[in-house]
Amino acid sequence: IFTPTEARTAVLLSHEPRSFEDIRENAGDLMSTPEELKKILTAMVKKGGLEYYRENGRAFYANAPLVVGIYEFQVNRLTEEFISDFKAYTSEKRYGISFLSTRRSQMRTIPIEKSIQAALPTADYDQLIHLIQTAEPPFVVLPCICRRKKAMLNEPCRQTNRTETCLGMGRAAQTLKAMGTGREITQSEAIEIVRQNQDDGLVLQPSNTRKIDFLCACCGCCCSMLSLQKELPMPLDFWESGYTIAFKEQLCIGCGLCKDKCVTNALLWSDCPEKDGQRPTPALDHSRCIGCGQCVSACKTGALTLAAKPAQSPPPKDRNALNTALLENRKSRLSAVKTV
């Protein structure tokens, strides 16, 4: 992704956006002319190595996280070699500890619309349509890199055959447009796409911010994040969600419509023997439920509902605030990681 010269340029940057003029002042002898520096930065953006946006006629650049960021930006540049190298790198224990030890998670789960009951208190940042309506334009839809990777490995998605499912907006969308990645759409089209994602049974995972700049639509068979959560013994130690499942056993008829909806194994059917001729009912593991609401939408009797978690702190305001939180107290959850 980086040539040696581009890597030296990236060292001049941080997660905080810096203007071209500011970067030029600190470039020293690295670049002989502003034109050369601009050429280098443009090439880095095109390859998905930097985030980029324009504001008030000025260009700003920032280092992107590896995940979510540089990796997802490679959706149109995937090769089997890159997939192999990335897997080897992220499988390293040191990487796993670094990724899981941040004070806040980079993404969070929000419930699908059909799972929200009228009486359920729902913050603005947990309401899907509100998030899109208040997001900054432009809007870009792009293929899911996880599904594209699986397809290249001859493991096509079992949840949906749609390819354009993930959204970027605001500054992330500006970066994608500069890369020539994805397709620009209207806000109304973005809302229609996420409603199709819900109908396909996909889990909605935006950036962990009150003003979102991306929205992933994830499945249990392809998504790297959900695969990681399934492997963790206590996934909620490392993930943020405002809701969890509630179960009214007396309303459950054991139909099994929810059985295959849970992507984190929070609904336990295998250990539920038939009782007195009655069909088995699921057991719940609240330590694994991420509050996506997919099982709730499948339940026809009202036995499954969502309940708000108490004392939930709101997400950071925006991407800059989130990145700052990710870098603060990076080892604050290290003790939890060590039990994995």
Side-chain angles (χ1 to χ4, degrees):
I1 297 172
F2 299 101
T3 67
T5 298
E6 290 168 348
R8 287 192 291 270
T9 305
V11 172
L12 300 174
L13 307 177
S14 73
H15 68 283
E16 296 180 349
R18 297 178 63 183
S19 69
F20 175 82
E21 294 78 11
D22 184 29
I23 299 169
R24 173 58 186 157
E25 287 183 8
N26 290 274
D29 297 329
L30 187 59
M31 306 295 168
S32 58
T33 65
E35 290 73 21
E36 184 183 359
L37 175 59
K38 185 174 183 180
K39 183 178 179 180
I40 290 291
L41 291 172
T42 299
M44 295 169 73
V45 171
K46 289 283 187 183
K47 292 192 292 183
L50 294 181
E51 295 180 1
Y52 160 87
Y53 68 94
R54 295 190 68 85
E55 189 173 89
N56 298 324
R58 302 174 69 195
F60 290 83
Y61 302 85
N63 284 330
L66 179 62
V67 179
V68 175
I70 291 176
Y71 172 64
E72 286 72 17
F73 289 154
Q74 306 308 306
V75 65
N76 288 341
R77 303 178 73 240
L78 279 181
T79 64
E80 292 186 5
E81 181 184 13
F82 177 84
I83 292 172
S84 176
D85 288 345
F86 186 80
K87 181 179 180 181
Y89 181 80
T90 55
S91 297
E92 276 279 335
K93 183 177 181 180
R94 289 171 297 173
Y95 174 82
I97 290 176
S98 177
F99 183 75
L100 292 172
S101 295
T102 57
R103 186 166 59 90
R104 306 295 302 252
S105 62
Q106 207 177 26
M107 301 168 71
R108 60 192 176 89
T109 304
I110 57 172
I112 64 172
E113 291 178 288
K114 293 179 181 178
S115 67
I116 301 293
Q117 298 81 27
L120 184 66
T122 311
D124 287 346
Y125 48 79
D126 279 325
Q127 296 180 29
L128 173 63
I129 303 305
H130 174 82
L131 286 173
I132 297 177
Q133 289 176 336
T134 56
E136 295 180 0
F139 295 85
V140 169
V141 62
L142 66 156
C144 170
I145 190 170
C146 297
R147 292 189 191 93
R148 178 161 286 183
K149 177 187 73 173
K150 287 285 190 174
M152 290 179 62
L153 299 175
N154 295 316
E155 300 175 31
C157 181
R158 301 188 299 272
Q159 193 72 36
T160 183
N161 59 9
R162 294 167 52 240
T163 56
E164 292 185 330
T165 56
C166 298
L167 299 174
M169 53 278 290
R171 295 179 180 178
Q174 286 198 49
T175 300
L176 292 167
K177 287 182 64 178
M179 292 176 60
T181 298
R183 176 171 61 90
E184 187 169 3
I185 58 175
T186 65
Q187 186 181 75
S188 297
E189 288 175 310
I191 292 173
E192 177 60 26
I193 287 169
V194 296
R195 285 184 167 152
Q196 291 176 11
N197 291 342
Q198 293 177 92
D199 291 342
D200 284 352
L202 302 177
V203 175
L204 306 176
Q205 303 198 100
S207 52
N208 190 18
T209 50
R210 281 169 273 173
K211 185 178 286 292
I212 63 171
D213 55 9
F214 69 82
L215 177 61
C216 290
C218 306
C219 60
C221 56
C222 299
C223 176
S224 300
M225 290 292 191
L226 293 181
S227 297
L228 174 62
Q229 289 171 350
K230 281 191 285 189
E231 292 177 6
L232 295 170
M234 301 287 285
L236 290 185
D237 284 345
F238 311 99
W239 205 252
E240 295 188 43
S241 170
Y243 301 89
T244 191
I245 197 69
F247 182 48
K248 297 178 182 178
E249 187 173 3
Q250 69 274 17
L251 297 180
C252 180
I253 60 174
C255 66
L257 291 176
C258 64
K259 191 171 184 179
D260 297 323
K261 295 294 183 178
C262 184
V263 296
T264 56
N265 301 326
L267 288 178
L268 308 175
W269 280 84
S270 58
D271 298 325
C272 305
E274 193 167 315
K275 305 181 209 175
D276 302 324
Q278 298 294 316
R279 298 170 77 176
T281 58
L284 272 62
D285 185 346
H286 288 280
S287 70
R288 304 198 63 80
C289 176
I290 58 175
C292 69
Q294 284 292 347
C295 65
V296 174
S297 69
C299 181
K300 304 303 182 184
T301 65
L304 292 172
T305 58
L306 287 180
K309 294 179 181 178
Q312 290 291 298
S313 58
K317 178 183 176 182
D318 53 28
R319 185 68 173 271
N320 290 350
L322 172 62
N323 286 339
T324 298
L326 291 173
L327 291 171
E328 289 176 348
N329 304 317
R330 285 191 57 81
K331 303 303 178 186
S332 61
R333 294 191 285 184
L334 185 58
S335 59
V337 176
K338 286 183 177 178
T339 66
V340 176

